[in-house]
């Protein structure tokens, strides 16, 4: 049996932040990672086009997100990703319009204060769909609100909890803006991983835990540790692919039953030249690929994003159908240009990824508070990862980083007690 004082399971943002904090604190720590790379749901592709593209996490959400500390340490460069002037929506008549038009539409006015309205909501929990229906939002306003707040949270209008959205907006706003990392997200995580003892291709299959420590079974070895930080994605935990003996406590079991981690997919299309207007950055289109964005000005790549049941439905049709949906969606907006200029595509379906099994976590109606419950330590087991974030933004890279540091400090504070 191989021993390490502390084992971190998973080398995604949470696991790297936990291991970095522990190693910098002088602790003996090993990371066991199922894949052959670090990053988990951060996975930059440097070969698809002239600039890096992000198969998973892409943006830094907010000018005050915790990620900025690591951006600075890495010396990375960033660019504001979706300035207001670059936003486009497809209207009911199929026309693509910009802020000059949609700012004038009376039925879209409530969207300009959507976040503020939700943040002040203190009524009984309900779905965002119900919340919008009560406020008699028009079909297009409802669709845009869906894309912005349900779809972006890997959820659907009728599942996502307004109580959870309100809580996050009230307490964990990370400031305005979304930012691209020009060198790629992997560039920012590299300094976190540097010098750590990471065992790749080492999936943990079984965890026997108790007050005296933890024994983990992997295909080639058995590991023993005094403390373990579990950063497995929510959907991996829910799948039962990793077994626990004894089973996890009731608090975690309830959280696993009530939280959700629906699918998320990205379709990248590369063209020989851009055929959209030079200012366009972000496009709210129709289902099943309701959101599109550009990478950098002048780069002939568009990314389509689909989550939740939309992503599940389109994935079930097969990869060729997803590409066809993508080209057909663009054809309704840009005519024959997309097919004429199309050169290559890349489809990334995170629900089909064995070590993720979904996009990112979300809180259904009535499940507010479950993230905190999932994060509770159980004996020698400590929990981190984007689904366990309750004092920062969950479901993000910066939230995952924050959770890793939190779990590492839990362990260090236990040890510091007299
Ligand atoms: C398509 C997509 C787009 C996104 N966009 C953004 C965005 O723009 N901005 C943003 O902030 N966030 C975004 N996110 C969310 C962000 O990627 C995650 O919140 C964050 O990366 C999660 O980090 P984590 O460490 O909690 O989990 P992960 O990164 O999933 O890390 C968990 C690690 O555990 C490993 N593992 C799994 N099973 C085992 C096992 N049995 N044994 C050992 N190791 C195992 C995995 O391989 C993985 O490396 C996006 C996610 C997706 C999927």
């Amino acid at each position: 049996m191989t021993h390490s004082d502390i084992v971190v399971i998973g080398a995604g943002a949470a696991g790297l932040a936990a291991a970095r904090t522990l190693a910098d604190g002088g602790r003996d720590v090993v990371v066991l990672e199922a894949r052959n790379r670090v990053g988990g749901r951060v996975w930059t592709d440097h070969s698809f086009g002239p600039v890096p593209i992000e198969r998973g996490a892409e943006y830094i959400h907010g000018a005050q997100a915790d990620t900025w500390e690591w951006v600075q340490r890495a010396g990375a460069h960033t660019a504001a990703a979706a300035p207001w002037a670059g936003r486009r929506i497809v209207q009911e008549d199929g026309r693509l319009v910009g802020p000059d038009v949609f700012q004038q539409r009376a039925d879209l006015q409530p969207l300009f204060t959507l976040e503020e309205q939700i943040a002040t909501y203190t009524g009984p929990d309900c779905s965002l769909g119900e919340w919008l229906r009560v406020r008699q939002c028009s079909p297009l306003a409802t669709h845009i609100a869906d894309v912005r707040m349900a779809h972006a949270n890997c959820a659907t209008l009728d599942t996502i909890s307004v109580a959870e959205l309100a809580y996050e907006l009230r307490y964990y706003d990370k400031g305005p803006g979304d930012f691209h990392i020009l060198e790629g997200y992997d560039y920012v995580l590299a300094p976190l991983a540097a010098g750590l003892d990471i065992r790749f291709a080492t999936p943990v299959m079984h965890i026997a835990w108790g007050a005296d420590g933890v024994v983990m079974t992997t295909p080639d070895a058995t590991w023993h540790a005094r403390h373990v930080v579990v950063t497995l994605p929510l959907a991996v935990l829910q799948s039962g692919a990793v077994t626990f003996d004894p089973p996890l406590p009731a608090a975690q079991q309830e959280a696993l039953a009530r939280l959700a981690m629906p699918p998320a997919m990205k379709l990248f299309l590369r063209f020989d030249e851009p055929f959209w207007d030079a200012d366009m950055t972000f496009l709210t289109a129709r289902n099943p690929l309701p959101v599109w964005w550009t990478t950098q000005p002048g780069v002939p790549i568009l990314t389509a994003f689909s989550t939740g049941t939309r992503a599940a439905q389109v994935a079930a049709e097969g990869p060729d159908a997803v590409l066809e949906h993508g080209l057909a969606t663009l054809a309704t907006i840009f005519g024959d240009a997309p097919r004429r200029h199309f050169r290559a595509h890349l489809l990334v379906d995170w629900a089909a990824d064995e070590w993720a099994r979904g996009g990112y976590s979300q809180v259904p109606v009535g499940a507010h508070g479950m993230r905190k419950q999932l994060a509770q330590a159980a004996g020698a087991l400590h929990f981190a990862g984007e689904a366990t974030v309750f004092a920062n933004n969950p479901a993000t890279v910066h939230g995952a980083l924050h959770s890793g540091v939190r779990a590492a400090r839990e362990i260090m504070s236990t040890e510091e007690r007299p």
Side-chain angles (χ1 to χ4, degrees), residues 124-165:
D125 197 7
C126 63
S127 70
L128 182 59
E130 198 179 331
W131 191 91
L132 293 166
R133 273 192 293 278
V134 168
R135 284 155 188 80
Q136 299 183 326
C137 286
S138 73
L140 185 61
T142 302
H143 177 63
I144 296 171
D146 177 3
V147 167
R148 207 156 95 194
M149 305 223 65
H151 179 267
N153 280 296
C154 220
T156 49
L157 276 180
D158 290 322
T159 55
I160 193 162
S161 155
V162 171
E164 171 74 14
L165 285 174

Side-chain angles (χ1 to χ4, degrees), residues 114-245:
L114 186 62
E115 278 81 0
E116 290 88 332
Q117 291 177 63
I118 292 176
T120 55
Y121 181 75
T122 52
D125 197 7
C126 63
S127 70
L128 182 59
E130 198 179 331
W131 191 91
L132 293 166
R133 273 192 293 278
V134 168
R135 284 155 188 80
Q136 299 183 326
C137 286
S138 73
L140 185 61
T142 302
H143 177 63
I144 296 171
D146 177 3
V147 167
R148 207 156 95 194
M149 305 223 65
H151 179 267
N153 280 296
C154 220
T156 49
L157 276 180
D158 290 322
T159 55
I160 193 162
S161 155
V162 171
E164 171 74 14
L165 285 174
Y167 175 79
E168 283 179 37
L169 286 165
R170 272 204 296 276
Y171 299 113
Y172 301 117
D173 181 12
K174 291 293 175 186
D178 296 303
F179 303 86
H180 269 132
I181 302 166
L182 300 184
E183 291 85 353
Y185 238 119
D186 58 350
Y187 191 80
V188 168
L189 291 194
L192 270 154
L196 293 177
D197 183 352
I198 304 174
R199 309 298 169 99
F200 291 105
T202 307
V204 173
M205 301 176 305
H206 181 71
I207 301 175
W209 61 283
D212 296 336
V214 184
V215 176
M216 287 146 286
T217 311
T218 70
D220 301 322
T222 305
W223 285 80
H224 174 263
R226 275 205 308 139
H227 302 280
V228 169
V229 181
V230 178
T231 76
L232 296 168
L234 177 72
V236 171
L237 283 169
Q238 289 171 325
S239 74
V242 181
T243 48
F244 289 81
D245 180 22

Side-chain angles (χ1 to χ4, degrees), residues 6-81:
I6 305 167
V7 162
V8 174
I9 304 176
L16 293 177
R20 178 84 272 149
T21 307
L22 290 159
D24 288 352
R27 303 305 200 276
D28 167 33
V29 56
V30 168
V31 183
L32 304 182
E33 167 55 53
R35 303 178 198 266
N36 283 316
R37 59 172 180 84
V38 298
R41 280 170 278 167
V42 171
W43 188 11
T44 309
D45 183 311
H46 293 272
S47 60
F48 181 72
V51 297
I53 55 160
E54 305 291 354
R55 291 167 175 250
E58 178 151 353
Y59 299 109
I60 302 173
H61 295 302
Q64 280 107 46
D66 304 37
T67 320
W68 287 102
E69 181 190 336
W70 295 100
V71 169
Q72 273 136 27
R73 284 201 205 184
H77 299 85
T78 59

